[in-house]
Amino acid sequence: MAKRTKSDFWKKNGIVIIAMAIIIFVVVFTNIPKLFDLLKTENHLGYSVTQKAETSGNSLAYSVSREALTKDAIITLTNNARALNGLPPLKENQLLNTIAESRAQDMLAKQYFAHVSPTGQQASDTAQGVGYHYKVIAENIGSGDFYTNQKIVDGWMQSPGHRANILSTEVHEIGAAVLKGKMKGEETYITVQIFGLQSMPVSQNICVAPSKDLLGDINLKKAEIESLKGQLDRLKNELDTERESLEKDRRYLDGDNQKIEKINVRIKTYNEKNNWFGRILEEAKAKSAVMSSMVSEYNKMLQVYNDCEASH
């Protein structure tokens, strides 16, 4: 038998080999995208969390946006909690709002967190001061770096005592306040809820004159505010004079270390006095708000009394 040459082999089988190579090429390369898709696909089960990214320089930081914390939201969420427990909503009362804000201001001003102030005052005393005549009064307080109004109410609902106040059937009205300030040097939010049930109204057949005690309290509060205004005026004059003097003296330091040291001491004293001015100003604002509510309540009582007298 004659020996086959390579040339004869390719003549007989070359077409078949080339056809098979083409088929293999098509199958492999047309499936590569699907293979890549398979490698890039990940299956996730459960919940997803999306965070907001913020760039700062060359770094990437994640931040959580803070919800506006307000008394209105606190009152709404409190009534939602009552509704979930089959209870009627509480009615917002402006005097109770005033009491709540006054209590929060007092905590920040006197740097305490409790139902009784260092001077022995509590919510019931503030209620009497603003003319809220109550049969029942209760208070919830909170302190922290809250990001949502719901977190504030949830915190109270998880505490037996605070929860009892929110779900009480003995109160009909509510007031609230949310204030931001420094407590022990740290930025924090002070939140207050005041719950109340007013005492039974006096018979409409009897004309009751406005409370002399309330009028006396108004005059006393007015005197306190005038005293604070006097302090503020004196401090402002002193601060203005000292600031002008500092600005003048700073121009003639000439690198003298002794002069620089003395003026730094004066600047420190100036800043301390300026901080004291700010604290007195906040106290005056708080007292003015309380007095405004007291005057409003007195005028209402006076109007009721005058209408009653006119009807007889």
Side-chain angles (χ1 to χ4, degrees):
M1 179 179 291
K3 185 177 179 181
R4 291 183 180 180
T5 66
K6 290 183 179 179
S7 177
D8 294 334
F9 176 82
W10 280 106
K11 287 180 180 179
K12 292 183 178 181
N13 301 302
I15 295 175
V16 175
I17 293 172
I18 291 172
M20 291 180 65
I22 291 173
I23 292 171
I24 293 171
F25 177 85
V26 171
V27 170
V28 171
F29 283 90
T30 55
N31 281 289
I32 281 178
K34 293 183 179 179
L35 179 62
F36 286 159
D37 288 342
L38 179 62
L39 292 174
K40 290 191 292 183
T41 302
E42 297 179 1
N43 292 324
H44 297 280
L45 299 178
Y47 298 100
S48 63
V49 177
T50 302
Q51 291 177 300
K52 178 184 177 184
E54 294 181 352
T55 57
S56 176
N58 296 322
S59 63
L60 184 65
Y62 288 95
S63 66
V64 179
S65 59
R66 188 190 301 276
E67 181 179 282
L69 306 179
T70 66
K71 68 174 181 62
D72 293 333
I74 295 298
I75 292 172
T76 297
L77 292 171
T78 298
N79 280 330
N80 288 347
R82 288 177 62 87
L84 289 173
N85 288 270
L87 296 172
L90 300 174
K91 182 180 178 182
E92 182 179 359
N93 181 286
Q94 292 304 320
L95 280 179
L96 294 184
N97 283 335
T98 299
I99 296 168
E101 184 163 353
S102 177
R103 295 282 297 139
Q105 288 276 12
D106 193 59
M107 289 184 211
L108 289 172
K110 295 185 175 69
Q111 292 292 286
Y112 72 95
F113 179 69
H115 291 287
V116 181
S117 77
T119 56
Q121 299 294 302
Q122 50 190 332
S124 57
D125 298 306
T126 307
Q128 292 176 5
V130 302
Y132 184 83
H133 304 290
Y134 63 88
K135 183 177 181 181
V136 177
I137 195 163
E139 177 184 64
N140 281 351
I141 59 176
S143 173
D145 189 19
F146 304 108
Y147 275 77
T148 67
N149 294 281
Q150 189 66 61
K151 284 291 184 183
I152 298 172
V153 177
D154 286 346
W156 282 325
M157 287 296 289
Q158 291 166 12
S159 167
H162 298 95
R163 179 186 176 90
N165 285 339
I166 290 175
L167 302 182
S168 174
T169 58
E170 297 181 352
V171 295
H172 293 167
E173 298 176 317
I174 185 174
V178 182
L179 294 183
K180 182 181 181 181
K182 283 193 175 182
M183 182 66 73
K184 311 300 183 185
E186 297 291 334
E187 289 285 345
T188 189
Y189 287 90
I190 298 295
T191 60
V192 180
Q193 283 179 314
I194 301 293
F195 305 90
L197 173 65
Q198 295 192 53
S199 56
M200 294 296 292
V202 179
S203 173
Q204 295 299 316
N205 295 325
I206 302 175
C207 298
V208 180
S211 171
K212 291 183 179 179
D213 291 338
L214 178 56
L215 183 59
D217 289 340
I218 290 172
N219 290 330
L220 179 61
K221 193 68 64 179
K222 182 178 179 181
E224 292 175 356
I225 293 171
E226 289 298 324
S227 175
L228 290 174
K229 285 183 177 178
Q231 294 181 50
L232 289 170
D233 289 340
R234 288 193 298 273
L235 281 172
K236 186 178 185 304
N237 290 334
E238 292 174 10
L239 287 168
D240 289 344
T241 300
E242 183 63 15
R243 183 174 63 254
E244 291 176 2
S245 176
L246 285 169
E247 290 174 353
K248 178 181 177 181
D249 292 347
R250 286 173 67 178
R251 293 196 291 266
Y252 301 101
L253 293 176
D254 300 325
D256 188 323
N257 290 333
Q258 189 173 14
K259 289 182 179 179
I260 293 172
E261 183 178 351
K262 287 182 178 180
I263 203 167
N264 283 337
V265 171
R266 289 171 59 195
I267 290 173
K268 181 179 179 181
T269 302
Y270 174 88
N271 289 335
E272 289 175 352
K273 184 177 290 187
N274 193 50
N275 290 337
W276 177 244
F277 178 89
R279 288 194 291 271
I280 294 177
L281 181 61
E282 289 302 316
E283 184 179 355
K285 288 180 179 178
K287 288 182 180 294
S288 294
V290 172
M291 189 184 77
S292 178
S293 296
M294 293 166 67
V295 169
S296 177
E297 182 65 17
Y298 181 86
N299 287 337
K300 289 179 183 177
M301 295 170 66
L302 182 61
Q303 184 63 50
V304 170
Y305 175 74
N306 289 337
D307 290 345
C308 178
E309 287 289 307
S311 65
H312 286 172

